Amino acid sequence: MTQKKLFGVTTLDVTRANTFCAEALGRPVADLNVQVLGGHAGTTILPVLSGIPAQTFTDEQIASLTHRIQFGGDEVVQAKDGAGSATLSMAYAGAVFTERLLEAAAGKPDVVECTYVQSPVAEKDGCEFFSSPVRLGPNGVEEILPMPALSAVEQANYDSMIGDLKTQIQKGKDFGN
């Protein structure tokens, strides 16, 4: 399998980030495209809320929204009294990501999605895989874009989660071997 065609779907976290932030801002979900970095397990999910144009979140709101995005699946399970999971959300995210992959495969220019790939973005911190914005094209990953600027709160979240992400990556690699 080529590295250019191996993706972890971050779209579920992006969908939650867009939905929860749109609700908090009183804006249409379609107007948002929140970048989500890191991994896909609790605190390793790092939404870049400071990148939302014209947002005015306080540090407390960023902390609250970040936690909600990180643990959005738990919210659904609790709403279902433990009798299910966020399957519709996962299906929606899978469909959106597939649509974007098909657009890129067909040659549509500038298809950028956050996805979990083998990446140099967090190599300095010991993470061989990382979710970040990626330009997609007919061959899969065409370009791994640099990590966006982070606010002080987001940088602190990055610093506190990166060790956990590194451990999770190693567990995944060990399992695969």
Side-chain angles (χ1 to χ4, degrees), residues 39-146:
H40 178 68
T43 59
T44 67
I45 300 167
L46 178 58
V48 184
L49 305 183
S50 63
I52 300 171
Q55 63 82 18
T56 56
F57 294 135
T58 64
D59 288 351
E60 292 77 23
Q61 288 171 311
I62 288 173
S64 176
L65 281 166
T66 296
H67 185 269
R68 188 172 182 208
I69 292 161
Q70 291 170 332
F71 297 98
D74 296 348
E75 192 174 311
V76 173
V77 171
Q78 288 171 1
K80 292 182 170 187
D81 288 328
S85 65
T87 51
L88 289 177
S89 300
M90 289 182 272
Y92 173 79
V96 168
F97 190 69
T98 300
E99 226 174 68
R100 297 294 283 163
L101 285 174
L102 291 171
E103 289 172 355
K108 181 177 179 178
D110 211 31
V111 175
V112 175
E113 289 295 319
C114 289
T115 184
Y116 186 78
V117 295
Q118 191 165 11
S119 166
V121 170
E123 272 183 339
K124 68 178 177 44
D125 295 312
C127 292
E128 180 182 356
F129 294 88
F130 197 77
S131 179
S132 65
V134 171
R135 188 174 325 283
L136 303 170
N139 299 309
V141 174
E142 299 290 338
E143 179 184 11
I144 297 170
L145 301 172

Side-chain angles (χ1 to χ4, degrees), residues 3-72:
Q3 293 175 8
K4 289 184 168 229
K5 294 187 178 180
L6 179 63
F7 307 97
V9 181
T10 304
T11 313
L12 178 57
D13 301 319
V14 171
T15 298
R16 288 181 179 144
N18 290 341
T19 301
F20 299 153
C21 290
E23 179 183 283
L25 292 167
R27 290 167 50 185
V29 173
D31 288 356
L32 297 181
N33 186 19
V34 179
Q35 294 181 339
V36 177
L37 311 176
H40 178 68
T43 59
T44 67
I45 300 167
L46 178 58
V48 184
L49 305 183
S50 63
I52 300 171
Q55 63 82 18
T56 56
F57 294 135
T58 64
D59 288 351
E60 292 77 23
Q61 288 171 311
I62 288 173
S64 176
L65 281 166
T66 296
H67 185 269
R68 188 172 182 208
I69 292 161
Q70 291 170 332
F71 297 98

